[in-house]
Amino acid sequence: PAVLRSVEVETPNVTWDAIGGLDSLKQTLQEAVEGALLYPELYHHTKAKAPRGILLWGPPGTGKTLLAKAVASQARANFIAVNGPELMSKWVGASEQAVRDLFAKARQAAPCVVFIDELDTLAPARGGHGDTGVSDRVVGQLLTELDGLHECPNVLLVGATNRPEALDPALLRSGRLDLQLKVDLPDEASRLAILHVHNDDRPLADVDLASWAAQTEGWNGADLTLLTNQAALEAIRRYRRQGASDPGAIQIIADDFTAAYQRLLEQ
Ligand code: ATP
């Protein structure tokens, strides 16, 4: 049975501006895209080395998927996203086949960015697990596909993981996932940038985003997105309670953020 029944090929439209913070990372990625997908011939001609694969590692909810989509968007490339666990199958040979199918699909859709989230589940360090060897064969297949990308310069693999130490080290060797970037939790300035990304097109009244950035130490981008959306929901509830009927007059006020914050803390 085929594991990878249907992979969806997307053409994402995520601008670099839609990602708050992570400035130097964004710059590094932009150059990598140029090398890997936009001007491979320049790199080929000058023998400059463009990354064949990129590993984004760090805590969850920090924008790794978003970054991979921005890479594809900048290159006007197709985008195929899969989760490591969804490729794994208990059927003999099916997981390797899923990896083969994934890359075959990517080559068909080239230029294409293949994004594999939770890469550590697909490609854990080989040997010593006492399992049936399934993951060893899957890692082997993944390495074969990655090495094959040298013949197919317009397919780029972006892998993401929260556990880089669990990955098979062979994946990180030169010519494979050779650009490894840490995507960290946002600092205060980055939290403010993220809050702006998600709020600048919303009808905000007296909300002091800077003070929210200051009091959300340890929050990731996904949490801040949730806070923002929850505040908008609070505003809607408030308006409905008031029986107001003009949606154009809804404003998101400081109290909505406070209520949203309380709600998130209680969850
Ligand atoms: P995971 O490791 O859990 O897969 P991730 O690092 O891939 O997480 P994303 O899926 O990119 O995180 O982020 C989740 C959501 O959080 C995004 O869709 C976006 O709304 C928001 N978000 C995260 N980081 C940022 C950021 N730096 N700027 C703007 N929005 C962000």
Side-chain angles (χ1 to χ4, degrees):
V3 179
L4 205 66
R5 274 193 199 86
S6 62
V7 266
E8 210 180 308
V9 180
E10 301 172 53
T11 47
N13 187 17
V14 173
T15 63
W16 295 106
D17 289 343
I19 305 173
L22 305 170
D23 291 334
S24 72
L25 203 80
K26 289 197 275 183
Q27 240 165 35
T28 308
L29 281 173
Q30 279 166 26
E31 205 184 20
V33 183
E34 292 179 357
L37 292 168
L38 282 174
Y39 315 115
E41 65 289 350
L42 291 185
Y43 279 65
H44 184 71
H45 195 65
T46 56
K47 307 239 180 320
K49 209 160 80 64
R52 295 272 28 100
I54 300 173
L55 179 70
L56 302 174
W57 64 277
T62 45
K64 295 183 285 299
T65 309
L66 221 48
L67 288 164
K69 284 188 174 173
V71 163
S73 307
Q74 185 192 347
R76 286 186 290 279
N78 286 313
F79 185 76
I80 297 178
V82 294
N83 259 313
E86 89 188 62
L87 296 186
M88 297 305 277
S89 161
K90 61 186 168 129
W91 304 104
V92 176
S95 306
E96 299 95 294
Q97 187 62 44
V99 171
R100 264 197 297 275
D101 291 349
L102 175 65
F103 281 86
K105 187 90 188 177
R107 285 190 297 270
Q108 270 170 24
C112 185
V113 172
V114 181
F115 179 68
I116 306 183
D117 206 357
E118 300 181 63
L119 186 63
D120 52 283
T121 57
L122 191 67
R126 283 170 293 180
H129 281 290
D131 65 13
T132 53
V134 175
S135 56
D136 288 11
R137 293 197 306 271
V138 174
V139 178
Q141 187 60 44
L142 193 59
L143 293 175
T144 304
E145 296 295 345
L146 261 173
D147 292 343
L149 289 187
H150 290 282
E151 261 82 78
C152 191
N154 44 13
V155 173
L156 181 71
L157 174 66
V158 180
T161 182
N162 309 325
R163 300 168 60 230
E165 70 287 349
L167 285 175
D168 192 278
L171 266 176
L172 307 179
R173 265 184 226 136
S174 169
R176 291 169 179 167
L177 293 176
D178 39 17
L179 182 60
Q180 295 148 23
L181 301 169
K182 182 171 190 197
V183 189
D184 223 336
L185 283 175
D187 61 12
E188 185 174 335
S190 298
R191 292 197 296 275
L192 182 57
I194 295 170
L195 285 170
H196 273 296
V197 162
H198 290 289
N199 283 286
D200 284 357
D201 59 352
R202 287 187 153 111
L204 248 53
D206 55 345
V207 182
D208 181 2
L209 291 180
S211 96
W212 283 107
Q215 53 185 298
T216 45
E217 175 78 47
W219 288 39
N220 62 24
D223 298 331
L224 294 168
T225 308
L226 215 60
L227 175 70
T228 297
N229 194 57
Q230 193 64 251
L233 293 175
E234 294 292 346
I236 293 172
R237 287 190 197 109
R238 195 166 40 74
Y239 256 69
R240 292 181 59 106
R241 273 199 306 273
Q242 290 165 359
S245 59
D246 174 14
I250 299 187
Q251 286 201 311
I252 302 168
I253 62 174
D255 284 351
D256 295 326
F257 265 75
T258 309
Y261 183 77
Q262 283 307 329
R263 220 177 256 271
L264 289 184
L265 289 189
E266 284 159 19
Q267 269 176 15

